[in-house]
């Protein structure tokens, strides 16, 4: 749903969650190939994350033409099934890069302008309590500079996890509070911006967002294991089970309607990597729109230090810069990194939310991402 994890879940989740079984000892496996030295280093790091408490971890790495997958721990604590890099998981706010890509494609087609206001496409939707859609541009939505509050911390969003939320209902929650600042004058991470971006896509194209994702990204890139569910909390195939604090397994307990174009996509590490490689090497957007996406500002979002553009971030590593986005949905956390030339990639995902602010875990995670991208 959000990069910022939902901190409050109602007791309704407790009835939907499975009783957690003891986690088996960490295990790791890697596909054989010329990157065995890197695999060994990544395997050690992934095992440390499991030792820290993550039920299971997947780390995908690319070095030129060589792609490797390292897994550790389990995908399902109840059965002890090992983690598997082919399994589906909720990519959460990594979805924002998909949404931004479609908006930028529409800009390239001259069907909208990034300088269009929200009111131009969604008149009257953003107007309560000092919020003013006539002063917020599409560029500000994608760049997280609109000043709009995030709807996700509101306890109503998770008071009934299975509820099917309409996008306008989420916007209404966000606009109950006055804006944090005048549009364009500061930065805050708000899922509200990307719900609005999805609504604009539908208004411009007169198609459901899922249709546009499919024809513009999923099908051309052969992302055969990538889906955009709107209300169904289930998975269309074998999946990683996600765990949320004491609620246990919440994999299918939460309607993706509370995330939608801000964080609703389900995918695999290979499909996400393929999308990012195509995007950041210029296959999905013309040069002008790529420059727009890569026009960044330095931000520190709840401890995540990066340069944020339009639905994509630039992250500094010891070996250079990576592009990507991270995401968190109850039970799922994902970090993605792709070099500008597409020759170097790393994706790290794990299936437990409660270590989000654990300093030891985050330190080991930083070592894992550094090793996976630069090692």
């Amino acid at each position: 749903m959000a990069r910022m994890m939902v901190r409050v879940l109602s007791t309704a989740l407790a009835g939907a969650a499975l009783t957690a079984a003891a986690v088996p000892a960490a295990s790791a496996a890697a596909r054989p190939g010329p990157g065995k030295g890197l695999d060994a280093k990544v395997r050690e790091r992934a095992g440390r994350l499991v030792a820290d408490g993550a039920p299971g971890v997947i780390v995908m790495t690319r070095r030129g033409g060589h792609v490797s997958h390292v897994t550790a721990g389990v995908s399902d604590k109840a059965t002890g099934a090992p983690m598997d890099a082919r399994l589906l998981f909720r990519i959460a706010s990594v979805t924002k890069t998909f949404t931004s890509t479609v908006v930028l494609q529409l800009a390239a087609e001259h069907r909208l302008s990034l300088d269009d206001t929200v009111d131009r496409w969604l008149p009257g939707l953003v107007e309560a309590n000092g919020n003013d859609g006539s002063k917020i541009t599409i560029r500000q939505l994608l760049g997280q500079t609109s000043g709009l509050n995030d709807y996700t911390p509101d306890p109503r969003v998770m008071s009934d996890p299975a509820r099917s939320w309409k996008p306008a209902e989420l916007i209404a929650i966000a606009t109950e509070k006055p804006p944090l600042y005048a549009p364009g004058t500061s930065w805050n991470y708000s899922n509200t911006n990307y719900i609005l971006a999805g609504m604009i896509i539908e208004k411009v194209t007169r198609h459901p967002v899922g249709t546009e994702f499919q024809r513009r990204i999923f099908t051309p890139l052969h992302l055969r294991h990538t889906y955009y569910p709107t209300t169904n909390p289930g998975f269309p195939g074998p999946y990683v089970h996600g765990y949320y604090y004491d609620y246990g397994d919440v994999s299918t307990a939460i309607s993706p309607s509370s995330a939608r174009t801000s964080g609703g996509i389900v995918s695999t590490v290979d499909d996400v990597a393929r999308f990012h490689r195509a995007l950041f090497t210029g296959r999905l957007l013309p040069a002008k729109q790529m420059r727009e996406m890569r026009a960044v500002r330095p931000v520190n979002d709840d401890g995540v230090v990066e340069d944020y553009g339009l639905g994509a971030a630039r992250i500094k590593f010891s070996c250079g810069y990576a592009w990507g986005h991270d995401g968190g949905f109850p039970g799922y956390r994902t970090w993605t990194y792709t070099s500008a030339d597409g020759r170097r990639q790393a994706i790290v995902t794990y299936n437990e939310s409660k270590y989000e602010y654990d300093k030891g875990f985050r330190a080991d995670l930083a070592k894992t991402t550094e090793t996976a991208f630069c090692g």
Side-chain angles (χ1 to χ4, degrees):
M1 170 186 300
R3 178 194 307 181
M4 179 175 66
M5 303 302 293
V6 176
R7 295 177 174 85
V8 179
L9 288 178
S10 84
T11 54
L13 271 179
L18 295 176
T19 301
V23 182
S27 60
R31 294 183 183 180
K36 290 181 179 179
L38 175 61
D39 288 349
K41 295 176 184 178
V42 172
R43 185 181 301 113
E44 180 181 358
R45 293 299 185 195
R48 168 46 53 187
L49 294 180
V50 171
D52 287 344
V57 179
I58 303 171
V59 184
M60 173 266 179
T61 60
R62 172 184 291 276
R63 295 294 185 272
H66 176 67
V67 175
S68 183
H69 305 83
V70 167
T71 62
V74 299
S75 63
D76 183 348
K77 294 200 293 186
T79 66
M83 187 60 94
D84 189 319
R86 297 168 294 183
L87 295 175
L88 298 169
F89 61 94
R90 301 192 189 281
I91 71 171
S93 283
V94 179
T95 300
K96 289 180 174 64
T97 312
F98 288 78
T99 301
S100 180
T101 298
V102 173
V103 172
L104 288 166
Q105 287 178 342
L106 292 171
E109 295 162 10
H110 304 291
R111 299 177 69 180
L112 58 76
S113 167
L114 295 184
D115 296 318
D116 287 346
T117 65
V118 172
D119 259 15
R120 163 72 174 80
W121 295 103
L122 306 170
L125 182 63
V126 179
E127 62 179 7
N129 302 303
N131 297 283
D132 189 348
S134 71
K135 297 180 180 179
I136 299 170
T137 67
I138 294 174
R139 186 191 312 276
Q140 290 164 348
L141 295 180
L142 299 183
Q144 305 278 20
T145 62
S146 71
L148 293 171
N149 283 273
D150 189 5
Y151 66 86
T152 58
D154 192 289
R156 287 170 292 179
V157 177
M158 285 296 147
S159 64
D160 181 4
R163 172 177 170 172
S164 292
W165 288 90
K166 296 179 180 179
E169 293 174 322
L170 301 173
I171 302 305
I173 289 176
T175 55
E176 287 178 356
K177 297 179 179 179
L180 297 172
Y181 48 83
T185 63
S186 189
W187 188 94
N188 70 293
Y189 193 88
S190 176
N191 293 282
T192 307
N193 293 321
Y194 275 79
I195 296 296
L196 287 167
M199 296 175 77
I200 290 171
I201 290 171
E202 294 193 337
K203 193 68 176 287
V204 172
T205 65
R206 299 183 181 181
H207 295 144
V209 171
T211 299
E212 294 299 316
F213 280 155
Q214 191 69 51
R215 77 180 190 87
R216 292 173 176 271
I217 301 176
F218 300 172
T219 296
L221 295 183
H222 306 290
L223 306 185
R224 298 185 178 90
H225 307 290
T226 303
Y227 309 91
Y228 177 68
T230 54
T231 59
N232 186 350
F235 289 82
Y239 61 92
V240 174
H241 289 248
Y243 300 89
Y244 191 91
Y245 294 85
D246 293 335
Y247 294 102
D249 188 344
V250 298
S251 311
T252 58
I254 303 169
S255 170
S257 65
S258 60
R260 295 188 180 263
T261 45
S262 73
I265 287 178
V266 167
S267 190
T268 62
V269 289
D270 283 340
D271 272 14
V272 169
R274 178 177 291 196
F275 164 62
H276 280 185
R277 196 170 188 230
L279 173 63
F280 296 125
T281 58
R283 289 174 52 195
L284 294 177
L285 293 173
K288 178 181 178 180
Q289 281 66 42
M290 283 303 301
R291 287 194 297 271
E292 297 276 15
M293 176 175 274
R294 287 176 164 166
V296 298
R297 63 185 294 159
V299 303
N300 186 328
D301 178 49
D302 210 18
V304 178
V305 177
E306 61 194 13
D307 300 320
Y308 202 86
L310 302 186
R314 185 178 66 180
I315 304 94
K316 188 175 183 179
F317 284 95
S318 65
C319 60
Y321 285 103
W323 289 90
H325 208 290
D326 64 289
F329 190 97
Y332 300 91
R333 198 68 166 98
T334 300
W335 308 82
T336 70
Y337 308 103
T338 297
S339 61
D341 62 6
R343 293 187 56 78
R344 188 181 291 266
Q345 286 188 292
I347 295 179
V348 179
T349 188
Y350 48 91
N351 53 342
E352 172 61 78
S353 298
K354 68 182 179 182
Y355 299 107
E356 183 71 6
Y357 300 103
D358 183 285
K359 291 183 179 180
F361 185 88
R362 289 298 291 265
D364 283 335
L365 174 64
K367 293 175 183 177
T368 302
T369 57
E370 167 72 23
T371 300
F373 189 72
C374 292

